[in-house]
Short mmCIF file of all heavy atoms in Angstrom, two decimals:
data_model
loop_
_atom_site.label_atom_id
_atom_site.label_comp_id
_atom_site.label_asym_id
_atom_site.label_seq_id
_atom_site.Cartn_x
_atom_site.Cartn_y
_atom_site.Cartn_z
N ILE A 1 -18.42 -17.40 17.81
CA ILE A 1 -17.85 -16.33 17.00
C ILE A 1 -17.09 -15.35 17.89
O ILE A 1 -17.31 -15.28 19.10
CB ILE A 1 -18.94 -15.57 16.21
CG1 ILE A 1 -19.91 -14.85 17.16
CG2 ILE A 1 -19.69 -16.54 15.30
CD1 ILE A 1 -20.93 -13.97 16.43
N ALA A 2 -16.18 -14.60 17.26
CA ALA A 2 -15.39 -13.58 17.96
C ALA A 2 -14.85 -12.60 16.94
O ALA A 2 -14.81 -12.90 15.73
CB ALA A 2 -14.25 -14.23 18.74
N GLY A 3 -14.42 -11.43 17.40
CA GLY A 3 -13.85 -10.48 16.48
C GLY A 3 -13.37 -9.21 17.17
O GLY A 3 -13.73 -8.94 18.32
N ILE A 4 -12.55 -8.47 16.45
CA ILE A 4 -11.99 -7.20 16.94
C ILE A 4 -11.96 -6.20 15.80
O ILE A 4 -11.59 -6.54 14.67
CB ILE A 4 -10.56 -7.39 17.49
CG1 ILE A 4 -10.55 -8.38 18.66
CG2 ILE A 4 -9.97 -6.04 17.94
CD1 ILE A 4 -9.13 -8.71 19.16
N VAL A 5 -12.33 -4.97 16.10
CA VAL A 5 -12.12 -3.83 15.21
C VAL A 5 -11.37 -2.79 16.02
O VAL A 5 -11.89 -2.30 17.03
CB VAL A 5 -13.45 -3.23 14.71
CG1 VAL A 5 -13.18 -2.05 13.79
CG2 VAL A 5 -14.30 -4.28 14.02
N SER A 6 -10.14 -2.44 15.61
CA SER A 6 -9.33 -1.54 16.44
C SER A 6 -8.24 -0.87 15.64
O SER A 6 -7.35 -1.53 15.10
CB SER A 6 -8.69 -2.32 17.60
OG SER A 6 -7.87 -1.48 18.38
N GLU A 7 -8.32 0.45 15.56
CA GLU A 7 -7.24 1.23 14.92
C GLU A 7 -6.01 1.29 15.81
O GLU A 7 -4.91 1.59 15.34
CB GLU A 7 -7.74 2.66 14.63
CG GLU A 7 -8.78 2.76 13.53
CD GLU A 7 -8.17 2.65 12.14
OE1 GLU A 7 -6.93 2.66 12.04
OE2 GLU A 7 -8.94 2.53 11.17
N LYS A 8 -6.17 0.98 17.09
CA LYS A 8 -5.05 1.10 18.04
C LYS A 8 -4.07 -0.05 17.95
O LYS A 8 -2.94 0.05 18.40
CB LYS A 8 -5.59 1.16 19.47
CG LYS A 8 -6.55 2.29 19.77
CD LYS A 8 -6.88 2.35 21.24
CE LYS A 8 -7.45 1.04 21.73
NZ LYS A 8 -7.77 1.08 23.19
N ARG A 9 -4.51 -1.16 17.36
CA ARG A 9 -3.68 -2.36 17.35
C ARG A 9 -3.20 -2.68 15.93
O ARG A 9 -3.88 -2.37 14.94
CB ARG A 9 -4.47 -3.55 17.90
CG ARG A 9 -5.00 -3.34 19.31
CD ARG A 9 -5.77 -4.56 19.78
NE ARG A 9 -6.50 -4.31 21.03
CZ ARG A 9 -5.99 -4.47 22.24
NH1 ARG A 9 -4.74 -4.88 22.36
NH2 ARG A 9 -6.71 -4.22 23.32
N SER A 10 -2.07 -3.34 15.83
CA SER A 10 -1.56 -3.77 14.53
C SER A 10 -2.39 -4.95 14.04
O SER A 10 -3.07 -5.63 14.82
CB SER A 10 -0.10 -4.20 14.65
OG SER A 10 0.02 -5.38 15.42
N SER A 11 -2.32 -5.20 12.75
CA SER A 11 -3.06 -6.32 12.18
C SER A 11 -2.61 -7.64 12.77
O SER A 11 -3.43 -8.53 13.02
CB SER A 11 -2.88 -6.34 10.66
OG SER A 11 -3.43 -5.17 10.07
N ASN A 12 -1.32 -7.78 13.00
CA ASN A 12 -0.81 -9.02 13.59
C ASN A 12 -1.35 -9.23 14.99
O ASN A 12 -1.73 -10.35 15.36
CB ASN A 12 0.73 -8.99 13.63
CG ASN A 12 1.35 -9.16 12.26
OD1 ASN A 12 0.70 -9.64 11.32
ND2 ASN A 12 2.60 -8.74 12.12
N GLU A 13 -1.41 -8.14 15.77
CA GLU A 13 -1.90 -8.27 17.14
C GLU A 13 -3.39 -8.62 17.13
O GLU A 13 -3.84 -9.46 17.93
CB GLU A 13 -1.67 -6.97 17.92
CG GLU A 13 -2.11 -7.07 19.38
CD GLU A 13 -1.98 -5.75 20.14
OE1 GLU A 13 -1.70 -4.72 19.50
OE2 GLU A 13 -2.20 -5.76 21.36
N ILE A 14 -4.14 -7.99 16.25
CA ILE A 14 -5.58 -8.28 16.16
C ILE A 14 -5.80 -9.74 15.79
O ILE A 14 -6.61 -10.44 16.41
CB ILE A 14 -6.25 -7.34 15.14
CG1 ILE A 14 -6.27 -5.91 15.67
CG2 ILE A 14 -7.67 -7.82 14.83
CD1 ILE A 14 -6.78 -4.89 14.67
N ARG A 15 -5.07 -10.20 14.78
CA ARG A 15 -5.21 -11.60 14.36
C ARG A 15 -4.86 -12.55 15.50
O ARG A 15 -5.58 -13.53 15.76
CB ARG A 15 -4.33 -11.88 13.16
CG ARG A 15 -4.44 -13.33 12.66
CD ARG A 15 -3.59 -13.58 11.44
NE ARG A 15 -2.18 -13.38 11.71
CZ ARG A 15 -1.45 -12.36 11.26
NH1 ARG A 15 -2.01 -11.43 10.51
NH2 ARG A 15 -0.17 -12.25 11.56
N ASP A 16 -3.78 -12.29 16.19
CA ASP A 16 -3.35 -13.17 17.28
C ASP A 16 -4.38 -13.21 18.41
O ASP A 16 -4.66 -14.26 18.98
CB ASP A 16 -2.00 -12.71 17.83
CG ASP A 16 -0.86 -12.96 16.84
OD1 ASP A 16 -1.07 -13.72 15.88
OD2 ASP A 16 0.23 -12.37 17.03
N LYS A 17 -4.95 -12.04 18.71
CA LYS A 17 -5.93 -12.01 19.80
C LYS A 17 -7.23 -12.68 19.40
O LYS A 17 -7.88 -13.34 20.23
CB LYS A 17 -6.17 -10.56 20.25
CG LYS A 17 -5.02 -10.00 21.07
CD LYS A 17 -5.36 -8.67 21.71
CE LYS A 17 -4.23 -8.18 22.62
NZ LYS A 17 -4.01 -9.09 23.78
N VAL A 18 -7.65 -12.54 18.15
CA VAL A 18 -8.85 -13.24 17.70
C VAL A 18 -8.62 -14.75 17.73
O VAL A 18 -9.53 -15.52 18.09
CB VAL A 18 -9.26 -12.76 16.29
CG1 VAL A 18 -10.37 -13.65 15.71
CG2 VAL A 18 -9.75 -11.31 16.35
N LYS A 19 -7.43 -15.19 17.39
CA LYS A 19 -7.13 -16.62 17.48
C LYS A 19 -7.18 -17.10 18.93
O LYS A 19 -7.65 -18.21 19.21
CB LYS A 19 -5.75 -16.90 16.88
CG LYS A 19 -5.72 -16.85 15.35
CD LYS A 19 -4.36 -17.25 14.80
CE LYS A 19 -4.39 -17.31 13.29
NZ LYS A 19 -3.07 -17.70 12.73
N LEU A 20 -6.73 -16.26 19.86
CA LEU A 20 -6.83 -16.62 21.28
C LEU A 20 -8.29 -16.71 21.71
O LEU A 20 -8.67 -17.61 22.47
CB LEU A 20 -6.09 -15.59 22.13
CG LEU A 20 -4.57 -15.65 22.15
CD1 LEU A 20 -4.00 -14.44 22.90
CD2 LEU A 20 -4.10 -16.95 22.83
N MET A 21 -9.10 -15.78 21.22
CA MET A 21 -10.53 -15.82 21.55
C MET A 21 -11.17 -17.10 21.01
O MET A 21 -11.94 -17.77 21.70
CB MET A 21 -11.24 -14.59 20.96
CG MET A 21 -10.77 -13.26 21.54
SD MET A 21 -11.48 -11.84 20.69
CE MET A 21 -13.00 -11.64 21.61
N CYS A 22 -10.83 -17.45 19.78
CA CYS A 22 -11.37 -18.67 19.18
C CYS A 22 -10.91 -19.92 19.92
O CYS A 22 -11.66 -20.89 20.05
CB CYS A 22 -10.98 -18.76 17.70
SG CYS A 22 -11.86 -17.59 16.65
N SER A 23 -9.68 -19.88 20.40
CA SER A 23 -9.16 -21.02 21.16
C SER A 23 -10.00 -21.25 22.41
O SER A 23 -10.27 -22.39 22.79
CB SER A 23 -7.70 -20.77 21.54
OG SER A 23 -7.21 -21.81 22.36
N ALA A 24 -10.43 -20.16 23.05
CA ALA A 24 -11.27 -20.28 24.25
C ALA A 24 -12.66 -20.79 23.93
O ALA A 24 -13.39 -21.21 24.81
CB ALA A 24 -11.36 -18.92 24.95
N LEU A 25 -13.04 -20.77 22.64
CA LEU A 25 -14.37 -21.16 22.21
C LEU A 25 -14.39 -22.50 21.47
O LEU A 25 -15.42 -22.90 20.93
CB LEU A 25 -14.95 -20.08 21.28
CG LEU A 25 -15.09 -18.67 21.87
CD1 LEU A 25 -15.45 -17.67 20.78
CD2 LEU A 25 -16.13 -18.65 22.98
N GLN A 26 -13.27 -23.19 21.44
CA GLN A 26 -13.14 -24.39 20.62
C GLN A 26 -14.18 -25.45 20.96
O GLN A 26 -14.67 -26.17 20.08
CB GLN A 26 -11.74 -24.97 20.77
CG GLN A 26 -11.49 -26.20 19.91
CD GLN A 26 -10.05 -26.67 19.97
OE1 GLN A 26 -9.21 -26.04 20.60
NE2 GLN A 26 -9.76 -27.78 19.33
N HIS A 27 -14.54 -25.58 22.24
CA HIS A 27 -15.52 -26.59 22.66
C HIS A 27 -16.85 -26.44 21.95
O HIS A 27 -17.55 -27.41 21.68
CB HIS A 27 -15.74 -26.52 24.17
CG HIS A 27 -16.06 -25.13 24.65
ND1 HIS A 27 -15.08 -24.25 25.06
CD2 HIS A 27 -17.24 -24.46 24.76
CE1 HIS A 27 -15.65 -23.11 25.42
NE2 HIS A 27 -16.96 -23.21 25.24
N GLY A 28 -17.22 -25.18 21.64
CA GLY A 28 -18.51 -24.93 21.00
C GLY A 28 -18.48 -25.01 19.49
O GLY A 28 -19.52 -24.96 18.84
N GLY A 29 -17.28 -25.16 18.92
CA GLY A 29 -17.14 -25.29 17.48
C GLY A 29 -15.99 -26.20 17.14
O GLY A 29 -14.94 -25.76 16.68
N PRO A 30 -16.16 -27.51 17.39
CA PRO A 30 -15.05 -28.44 17.25
C PRO A 30 -14.72 -28.85 15.82
O PRO A 30 -13.70 -29.50 15.58
CB PRO A 30 -15.52 -29.65 18.06
CG PRO A 30 -17.01 -29.61 17.94
CD PRO A 30 -17.37 -28.16 17.92
N ASP A 31 -15.58 -28.50 14.84
CA ASP A 31 -15.43 -29.05 13.50
C ASP A 31 -14.54 -28.25 12.57
O ASP A 31 -14.00 -28.79 11.61
CB ASP A 31 -16.82 -29.20 12.85
CG ASP A 31 -17.71 -30.17 13.60
OD1 ASP A 31 -17.17 -31.08 14.25
OD2 ASP A 31 -18.95 -30.03 13.54
N ASP A 32 -14.37 -26.95 12.85
CA ASP A 32 -13.61 -26.11 11.90
C ASP A 32 -13.30 -24.78 12.56
O ASP A 32 -13.99 -24.36 13.50
CB ASP A 32 -14.43 -25.88 10.62
CG ASP A 32 -13.64 -25.23 9.50
OD1 ASP A 32 -12.39 -25.28 9.54
OD2 ASP A 32 -14.26 -24.67 8.57
N GLU A 33 -12.25 -24.10 12.06
CA GLU A 33 -11.92 -22.75 12.52
C GLU A 33 -11.60 -21.89 11.31
O GLU A 33 -11.03 -22.36 10.32
CB GLU A 33 -10.73 -22.76 13.47
CG GLU A 33 -10.33 -21.34 13.93
CD GLU A 33 -9.16 -21.33 14.91
OE1 GLU A 33 -9.38 -21.73 16.06
OE2 GLU A 33 -8.06 -20.92 14.51
N GLY A 34 -11.97 -20.61 11.38
CA GLY A 34 -11.65 -19.69 10.30
C GLY A 34 -11.41 -18.30 10.83
O GLY A 34 -11.94 -17.90 11.86
N ILE A 35 -10.56 -17.55 10.11
CA ILE A 35 -10.25 -16.15 10.43
C ILE A 35 -10.37 -15.34 9.15
O ILE A 35 -9.86 -15.74 8.10
CB ILE A 35 -8.82 -15.99 11.00
CG1 ILE A 35 -8.62 -16.83 12.26
CG2 ILE A 35 -8.54 -14.50 11.28
CD1 ILE A 35 -9.30 -16.31 13.49
N PHE A 36 -11.06 -14.20 9.22
CA PHE A 36 -11.08 -13.24 8.12
C PHE A 36 -10.46 -11.94 8.62
O PHE A 36 -10.74 -11.49 9.72
CB PHE A 36 -12.51 -12.95 7.64
CG PHE A 36 -12.63 -11.68 6.85
CD1 PHE A 36 -12.10 -11.59 5.57
CD2 PHE A 36 -13.22 -10.54 7.39
CE1 PHE A 36 -12.18 -10.41 4.85
CE2 PHE A 36 -13.31 -9.36 6.68
CZ PHE A 36 -12.78 -9.29 5.40
N GLU A 37 -9.60 -11.33 7.76
CA GLU A 37 -8.96 -10.08 8.15
C GLU A 37 -9.14 -9.03 7.05
O GLU A 37 -9.11 -9.34 5.86
CB GLU A 37 -7.46 -10.28 8.34
CG GLU A 37 -7.07 -11.26 9.41
CD GLU A 37 -5.57 -11.46 9.43
OE1 GLU A 37 -4.85 -10.56 9.93
OE2 GLU A 37 -5.10 -12.50 8.92
N ASP A 38 -9.32 -7.80 7.48
CA ASP A 38 -9.21 -6.63 6.61
C ASP A 38 -8.14 -5.75 7.24
O ASP A 38 -8.42 -5.01 8.19
CB ASP A 38 -10.54 -5.90 6.49
CG ASP A 38 -10.51 -4.76 5.47
OD1 ASP A 38 -9.48 -4.05 5.43
OD2 ASP A 38 -11.49 -4.59 4.73
N GLU A 39 -6.94 -5.87 6.77
CA GLU A 39 -5.81 -5.19 7.40
C GLU A 39 -5.94 -3.67 7.32
O GLU A 39 -5.51 -2.95 8.23
CB GLU A 39 -4.50 -5.64 6.77
CG GLU A 39 -4.19 -7.12 7.00
CD GLU A 39 -2.82 -7.51 6.49
OE1 GLU A 39 -2.10 -6.62 5.97
OE2 GLU A 39 -2.46 -8.69 6.61
N GLU A 40 -6.55 -3.19 6.24
CA GLU A 40 -6.69 -1.74 6.09
C GLU A 40 -7.61 -1.16 7.16
O GLU A 40 -7.36 -0.07 7.69
CB GLU A 40 -7.24 -1.43 4.69
CG GLU A 40 -7.33 0.07 4.40
CD GLU A 40 -7.83 0.35 3.00
OE1 GLU A 40 -7.71 -0.54 2.13
OE2 GLU A 40 -8.35 1.46 2.78
N LEU A 41 -8.66 -1.87 7.50
CA LEU A 41 -9.61 -1.40 8.51
C LEU A 41 -9.29 -1.92 9.91
O LEU A 41 -10.03 -1.66 10.85
CB LEU A 41 -11.03 -1.80 8.13
CG LEU A 41 -11.72 -0.95 7.06
CD1 LEU A 41 -13.13 -1.44 6.82
CD2 LEU A 41 -11.75 0.52 7.44
N HIS A 42 -8.21 -2.69 10.03
CA HIS A 42 -7.83 -3.25 11.33
C HIS A 42 -8.98 -4.06 11.93
O HIS A 42 -9.39 -3.86 13.06
CB HIS A 42 -7.39 -2.14 12.29
CG HIS A 42 -6.15 -1.43 11.86
ND1 HIS A 42 -4.91 -1.72 12.37
CD2 HIS A 42 -5.96 -0.45 10.93
CE1 HIS A 42 -4.00 -0.94 11.80
NE2 HIS A 42 -4.62 -0.16 10.91
N LEU A 43 -9.49 -4.98 11.11
CA LEU A 43 -10.63 -5.81 11.50
C LEU A 43 -10.29 -7.28 11.33
O LEU A 43 -9.60 -7.66 10.37
CB LEU A 43 -11.84 -5.45 10.63
CG LEU A 43 -13.10 -6.31 10.71
CD1 LEU A 43 -14.34 -5.46 10.40
CD2 LEU A 43 -13.06 -7.48 9.71
#
C-alpha cells in the first residue's frame, strides 16, 4: 500500500507520485493495482 495527503501538491502530482510508489511495490502485489483519489482533500 501507499498514499499521500498534501495540500501543497496538485491532484495530478499526487496521483502521479502514488503511481510511482505503487510501481516500486509491484513485486509484492503482482495481481492488481488500484488508485483512489479525493481531489478536494488532495488525497
